[in-house]
Amino acid sequence: MKARMLATHVALPVLVIAAVSGQAGAADFDWMKFKGKTVTFLANNNPVSQALLTYKADFEKLTGMTLKVDGYQEQQMRQRLVTVMNANSDEVDVFMTLPSREGEQFAAAGWYADLTAMAKDEVAKEYDPAGLSQALLKAATFGGKLTSMPMNLEGPIFYYRTDIFRKCGLDAPKTIKDVEAAAEKIKTCDSAVTPFVSRGLKPAVAYTFSNMLHNIGGTYMAGGKSKLCSAKGKEALDTYSRLLRDFGPPGVVNYSFQQISALYRSGRAAMAFESSNELRTVMEGGARLKDPGLLPFPAGAAGQVPTTIGWGMAVSSHSKQPGAAWYFVQWATSPEVQKKMALQGIAPPRPSVANDPEYRKWIEEEPVRKEWQAALDVLATKGSSEVGYPIVANPQSREFIGQAVQDLILKQKTVDQACADADKALDALIALN
Amino acid sequence: MSDTAATLTQDRQKLEMAALSAPAVIFTVAMIAFPVVYTIWLGFQNFSSTGKQSFAGLANYSKLVSDYEFWHGLWVTIALYVLSLVLQLVFGVWLALVLFHAKRLPGIVRSLFISPFMMPPVVAGMMWLVILDPSLGAANYILQSFGLPPSDWLASPSLVIPTVALIDSWQWTPYVALIVLGGLQSLPPSVYEAAQIDGASPFRTFRRITLPLLLPTIVTAAILRSVDLLRFFDIIYITTQGGPGNASNTLNIYGFRVGFEFFNIGYASALMLTLTAIVFGAVLAFNRLRGAVAW
């Protein structure tokens, strides 16, 4: 979806973002303004929040506020959020959100506080809102309202074992066809490893499949209709499912990031297509530091259109203390904190942090970090935040994409049947929006 | 004491009793009746994807009739229920008999036998997810060590229901065994002495005496397990999330997704009330059976 194409380093003429760039309140800004208040943060217990909360005490010292953390795994966090927001409760002041997934839905439901004015009037001198990825800010803007501030930048990247590629006489893949050819060769050259692994679990498929679809030149929707049965859509479905069916691990239909990282880290997979956030997990133990190969997903007919998203921090529209909540959001997305998080392997959503000498030094320490940053640079400049259908019911649309892919992996349907069934269900879903 | 004074004392006692029990009654109403009434009300509401609400009448219930996922979820729920219940009752009775007759079994071994049901289902699910991983898990490693072909376990649409039923049975069979063991220990020894005098074989004794006398206990265990099994959720949520495809998508999992992932709280409430009616139906049927087999 062109409207959502990211171009992090290119200024985007968006009114909201222009408004954010102003710092009217910087002069009389006081971090201690809300001293004594308690802010409740509903966090997804992922590497991003874990890195952030390492510095919880710094926030409390700086502001005199108490930060109460309510942390859950991703799905449980959403479950809690749905309950709290449906009850119009003020229990949660700040929550983590994925604008690419639930942004339209939460915005339409009125769950996000509008941060536009606060981001303009209530900012510390050092905050530098203009330094945040303008594209991620745009992706978090719905109906002219800024709904969250970006915490990180991430997307699926291609991990491959350079030692296995060398052993099998293979070069780093440049195209999707190269990936398939490499998988075929590895299957015979080193039968002990799984040639290729990516997400097969139904609700998780869209994250990686979207990259494949966009690289091939497909789109989810055109003219208000689902387009999985377009030639490009069918090609993407066929290629993605074939790679997993013919070269993936047994049981790949239950694979999400945990299983993929475990398989690749243990040395049992030659190629893995998984989140850039998983770098730390994949490299745990150090075995994979010896053979690192990281790339954006290889090109298709449309070149490289990586999936690029980021977690955001939103203030609940039911919060009784949006000002204090905003102070926490501001601190968490400040250049200083994002630099500290970057040094823990959380890709910064600020180009200034990505170019910071200390961060660059950290990157240069390990070859794998250099490859990781190079891949992230491509994600930042060429990425698309379209994961699943750009409709309010985006989470539900991902189910149908995942179902079509699983039907093909399990050989329960032909490509024509799988895409037709998915398009039918998705058209009905689109019509409801 | 005059009649009037006695009546006054009785009235006062009644008032005191009402006052003392009021907190418990209020608590029960607040914690049980209110959520049920609220869910019934939600079942008549329509929620859009954005949370906007409107009165739907019986639309959510009429939607159930034509919803393929509902009927599929019902089938999966019943298949899992029947398979798991049969496994747990058969092996539960067997385990109870083993524990009953193995009087010299050390306490630690007995504790180990019954320990799985003390484990949180989420932990059990995670543990079996690792064991049954087709690539890295111990189950396939063991199969292959014996020259047997590996299995996809939770990733195969045809195997996922038996596999989940086995996981649940691994966890809850000891619970059934514990109930049945209690029943065994309360059986009158006189009937066994009479059977012994009559020269009945151990199998005949079991079939003609133990089993009929145990039936009320077994039915009680079946009722307790039925309530849990028809609401099958945690192990599936941890291991398959209803997949592969929708092969293990029970009504409870389906309702959870509709409510908490797709935000259609009204339809999810209708689904859950239908499931509640099924659970009540099963419990009532077993209660009647218990009445029929009581001795």
Side-chain angles (χ1 to χ4, degrees), chain B residues 189-210:
Chain B
S190 54
V191 285
Y192 287 96
E193 287 161 10
Q196 206 172 12
I197 292 164
D198 290 345
S201 68
F203 179 70
R204 200 175 168 80
T205 307
F206 172 74
R207 202 163 66 90
R208 295 286 188 186
I209 297 173
T210 309

Side-chain angles (χ1 to χ4, degrees), chain A residues 271-348:
Chain A
M271 296 180 272
F273 186 33
E274 190 38 68
S275 171
S276 55
N277 273 355
E278 287 297 296
L279 179 78
R280 199 160 57 163
T281 314
V282 163
M283 296 302 157
E284 226 170 67
R288 296 284 68 77
L289 285 171
K290 293 175 287 184
D291 46 51
L294 276 79
L295 295 169
F297 194 67
Q304 281 181 315
V305 190
T307 295
T308 309
I309 59 167
W311 279 93
M313 288 186 92
V315 173
S316 162
S317 58
H318 299 309
S319 170
K320 290 224 167 80
Q321 41 181 9
W326 161 249
Y327 269 43
F328 172 55
V329 171
Q330 185 180 170
W331 169 82
T333 56
S334 66
E336 187 193 346
V337 173
Q338 292 199 324
K339 184 176 143 187
K340 287 178 182 169
M341 287 168 67
L343 295 173
Q344 291 196 42
I346 303 301

Side-chain angles (χ1 to χ4, degrees), chain A residues 7-37:
Chain A
T8 308
H9 304 296
V10 180
L12 293 166
V14 181
L15 277 174
V16 168
I17 294 159
V20 165
S21 303
Q23 293 185 50
D28 51 358
F29 185 85
D30 176 14
W31 278 111
M32 282 287 178
K33 184 177 176 183
F34 297 102
K35 187 179 174 185
K37 299 254 184 199

Side-chain angles (χ1 to χ4, degrees), chain B residues 25 36 61 76 93 113 124 161 168 176 191 225 248 261 290:
Chain B
V25 172
V36 171
Y61 292 92
V76 172
V93 170
F113 266 124
I161 288 180
D168 193 76
V176 174
V191 285
R225 288 307 301 138
S248 59
E261 289 184 18
R290 190 167 59 170

